[in-house]
Each structure stands twice: as C-alpha cells, then as structure tokens.
C-alpha cells in the first residue's frame, strides 16, 4: 500500500535506507525523531566531533586528564544529539514554507503535515531543556558559552535569506563546541581553542558547500542563497582552499596545544591528524560531481570519517 505524505510511516526523502527510526521507533514518535534528524545521524557527528577535538587538545595542552573528562566526553555525545535535534527543529520551523518548495525537503515532517508548528515548538523546547541539564554540570565559563551559542543557532536558519555565505553561520554554530569543551576542561579559553574553532569553520565550509549542491536548482528558483550557488562551477577550486585552510588552522591548533607541556613525539602524532584529514578531504575532491545530487550526499556523509581521523591521532598523542 502506498504511504501518504502525512503518514507517520512516510520516510523523509534524503534519510538513509533502513535507518533505525523507520525500522524500530514506535510510529507515534517517528515524525518527531525525523524532525530532530535522528534518521540522519551525520549532523550529530559533525556537531559532536569538534567537541571531542577540543577535549583531546585541551588535555594535551595542560597534561591534566581528570575523571571529570569522562563525563565531559559522554555529556558531549548526549548534548550534541539533543542540541542538533533542537537546532534542526528550529530550522524546520523557520524554513517550513521554503522546504515545501524544494523536492528533497518537502517530505520533512512540517511541510508534509506530519507535525504541526505548535507541536514542533514544544518538541524544540523539550530538547533544549534536556540539553541545558547537561550543560549545567559543566563549569560556569562553559555554561556561559553554552548560552551564547543559542544566538548563533537562532540566527543560522535566516542566513540564507540575506547572505551568499550561510555556511559561515553554520560553521560558527556547529563548531562552538570546540570552545565550550576546551573551557569545560581548562576553565578558560586559550589561543589553541580559537585556532581549532577557526579550522572547524573552514571544514564546515567544505562539507556544507558539498551538501548545498544538492539543491542549487530549487534554491535558484525560490531565491535561497548558498556558497554552492555562489561558487557554481568554480566549487572545486574553493573547496581546495577550504581544505588547505582546515589543515593549516588545525595544524596550528595542535602546535600551540602541544608546545607548553607535551613531548615532541606527542606533537608529531597529533600533527599527523590534520595531515591525514586533509588526504581524506582530497579523496572527496577526486570524486566530486556537483551535478550528481546522490554523489554529493554520499561525499557529505563521508565527513563523519573525515572528522574522526584527526580525533584518533589526538587521542593517541595523549598516551605518549
């Protein structure tokens, strides 16, 4: 039997096939989990990994691992899931009329009629409050940074209406965890955290430009701006620049993190992380086809592995 667009069993068009939400979640929860993008976990990874980078480099910086860091590590995972869900819910509330005009997004819960705007607002508040519970277990400085991040989350959905660079605003929001988690460990911000944050923003410009190429035709028709539309056929050249910027800034973050207290061997191992990350980004560029939406989605999803690669090297550097 053909599923109707408003059925709680109607999957979102760009969700992964046989994801856990569509297979195992109770039917009444599926529209809300889809609203949080729980059926598309890549966004949670992209929000989470800069947090874990920040924790690893903060420990490398002061050489003072503590049992509290285990909770910061776990809390980041839970918090990233909740705040990504709240942010996506807010994004879908503000974009509900735009999403209904784009082929890839018209099946989302609000434009398809699965969830009302009022219910979506309530769901967003619930997720935000649960994330706040985790945030309040961190130190005061980290809590303050957590509240500041809400400003970026609030602004981001509107960026594509007034700038050709909405991916910058996504980068500012999605990499904020690097600053927050560094501060949760050390108690204050230091220059390596700023460099790490900047490197994460460059990485976001790389992967989200790839993602945005799925919708360039629809975006042009309805007047939505993006770096994909801005760069057009020149996108490969711009992506190479973002690759080099990502590797360079993360490399500097590693150097300034390791210089005070870490060994030379730890520095070398940690520096191998951005280098290996750059090779993975270069591999993506070799497969780039900006006119193939399915390929662009595949490459975008590959950035989970891109972000895990430097994390593994940062973690290894802590043990030498």
């Amino acid at each position: 039997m053909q599923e109707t667009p408003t059925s709680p069993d109607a999957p979102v068009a760009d969700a992964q096939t046989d994801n856990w939400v569509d297979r195992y979640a109770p039917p009444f929860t599926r529209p809300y989990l889809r609203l949080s993008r729980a059926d598309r976990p890549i966004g949670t990874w992209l929000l989470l990994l800069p947090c874990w980078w920040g924790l690893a480099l903060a420990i490398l910086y002061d050489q003072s691992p503590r049992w509290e860091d285990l909770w910061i590590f776990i809390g980041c995972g839970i918090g990233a899931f909740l705040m990504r869900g709240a942010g996506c819910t807010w994004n879908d509330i503000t974009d509900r009329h735009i999403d209904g005009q784009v082929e890839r997004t018209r099946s989302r819960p609000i434009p398809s009629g699965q969830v009302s705007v009022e219910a979506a607002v309530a769901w967003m508040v619930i997720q935000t409050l649960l994330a706040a519970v985790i945030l309040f277990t961190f130190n005061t400085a980290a809590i303050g940074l957590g509240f500041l991040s809400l400003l970026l989350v609030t602004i981001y959905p509107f960026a594509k209406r007034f700038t050709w660079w909405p991916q910058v605003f996504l980068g500012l929001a999605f990499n904020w965890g690097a600053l927050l988690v560094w501060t949760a460990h050390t108690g204050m911000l230091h220059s390596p955290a700023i460099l790490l944050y900047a490197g994460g923003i460059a990485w976001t410009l790389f992967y989200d430009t790839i993602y945005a190429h799925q919708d360039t035709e629809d975006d042009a028709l309805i007047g939505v701006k993006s770096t994909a539309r801005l760069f057009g056929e020149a996108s490969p050249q711009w992506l190479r620049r973002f690759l080099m910027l990502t590797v360079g800034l993360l490399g500097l973050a590693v150097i300034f993190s390791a210089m005070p207290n870490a060994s030379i061997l730890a520095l070398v191992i940690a520096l191998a992380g951005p280098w290996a990350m750059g090779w993975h980004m270069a591999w993506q560029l070799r497969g780039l086809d900006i006119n193939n939406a399915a390929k662009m989605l595949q490459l975008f999803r590959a950035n989970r592995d891109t972000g895990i690669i430097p994390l593994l090297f940062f973690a290894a550097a802590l043990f030498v």
Side-chain angles (χ1 to χ4, degrees), residues 16-243:
Q16 291 178 293
T17 306
D18 293 329
N19 64 80
W20 73 272
V21 172
D22 294 340
R23 294 186 65 184
Y24 303 117
F28 75 92
T29 68
R30 289 175 189 165
Y32 295 95
L33 291 171
R34 291 172 184 142
L35 198 59
S36 300
R37 309 284 201 276
D39 55 343
R40 285 156 286 170
I42 178 60
T44 299
W45 279 107
L46 296 175
L47 183 64
L48 172 60
L49 287 166
C51 300
W52 282 350
W53 293 351
L55 179 60
L57 290 188
I59 297 172
L60 186 68
Y61 177 80
D62 66 9
Q63 294 290 297
S64 299
R66 300 183 292 273
W67 281 110
E68 295 95 317
D69 294 329
L70 179 60
W71 165 243
I72 294 174
F73 180 87
I74 295 170
C76 284
I78 302 170
F81 178 83
L82 291 169
M83 281 309 298
R84 190 259 182 146
C88 288
T89 304
W90 171 241
N91 187 79
D92 281 12
I93 291 168
T94 60
D95 282 359
R96 60 191 183 276
H97 302 302
I98 293 174
D99 286 346
Q101 302 177 64
V102 177
E103 180 64 30
R104 185 179 59 84
T105 59
R106 65 181 52 172
S107 59
R108 287 179 176 175
I110 296 178
S112 67
Q114 295 180 34
V115 177
S116 69
V117 174
E118 294 77 13
V121 170
W123 179 234
M124 177 184 68
V125 171
I126 290 169
Q127 293 173 97
T128 303
L129 290 175
L130 290 172
V133 172
I134 296 171
L135 178 65
F136 283 130
T137 66
F138 297 160
N139 59 43
T140 303
I143 292 170
L145 285 171
F147 277 104
L148 279 176
S149 72
L150 295 177
L151 180 62
L152 296 170
V153 174
T154 301
I155 293 172
Y156 166 66
F158 301 102
K160 57 182 167 287
R161 295 163 169 84
F162 63 80
T163 177
W164 287 100
W165 294 82
Q167 280 69 28
V168 170
F169 286 84
L170 181 66
L172 290 168
F174 253 55
N175 295 280
W176 194 260
L179 303 178
L180 191 155
V181 175
W182 179 286
T183 305
H185 173 82
T186 65
M188 62 183 297
L189 279 176
H190 301 92
S191 59
I194 306 298
L195 290 165
L196 184 65
Y197 180 54
I201 293 170
W203 178 43
T204 302
L205 282 163
F206 179 89
Y207 66 66
D208 205 56
T209 297
I210 291 174
Y211 182 80
H213 268 289
Q214 297 175 87
D215 301 324
T216 49
E217 292 185 6
D218 287 331
D219 287 350
L221 288 172
I222 60 180
V224 169
K225 298 177 174 68
S226 71
T227 50
R229 285 191 62 207
L230 178 65
F231 303 153
E233 294 297 327
S235 288
Q237 292 93 319
W238 279 94
L239 292 174
R240 288 189 191 96
R241 293 167 188 158
F242 297 144
L243 184 163

